[in-house]
Amino acid sequence: MDWKENHKTMHKYEIIIYWSTEDGVFVAEVPELPGCMAHGASHEAVLRNVNDALRVWLDTAKEFGDPIPEPKGQRLMLA
């Protein structure tokens, strides 16, 4: 997939990635979409997985007529 195709499918929601010592994996959360998260063995894997989870979250919300929040376009949390 080239950059333009990838850019069209990218979502503009904040994604937070962190290492979970307890689970031994990277975890990614999308704070603007409640419950939207994924895990993976590497940054690349967790990013692929969370993008899949994000698409499923949005598709499910559309299917059931649930509201879909607009991306805020700014950092939501500071550590």
Side-chain angles (χ1 to χ4, degrees):
M1 179 180 305
D2 72 10
W3 181 86
K4 286 184 182 179
E5 288 178 39
N6 189 36
H7 183 69
K8 288 179 189 175
T9 61
M10 283 191 331
H11 301 286
K12 301 194 184 337
Y13 293 98
E14 178 181 39
I15 297 172
I16 299 171
I17 298 175
Y18 59 92
W19 175 256
S20 171
T21 303
E22 181 179 336
D23 298 318
V25 295
F26 287 95
V27 176
E29 298 181 13
V30 183
E32 295 170 90
L33 305 177
C36 186
M37 59 189 319
H39 68 275
S42 67
H43 276 109
E44 293 80 12
V46 75
L47 193 53
R48 273 192 314 273
N49 294 343
V50 78
N51 278 312
D52 289 343
L54 209 152
R55 279 189 288 278
V56 169
W57 196 103
L58 294 171
D59 289 346
T60 302
K62 287 176 192 171
E63 179 181 341
F64 288 96
D66 294 337
I68 298 174
E70 286 294 319
K72 300 243 187 288
Q74 63 188 20
R75 192 170 185 184
L76 299 177
M77 292 188 242
L78 298 174

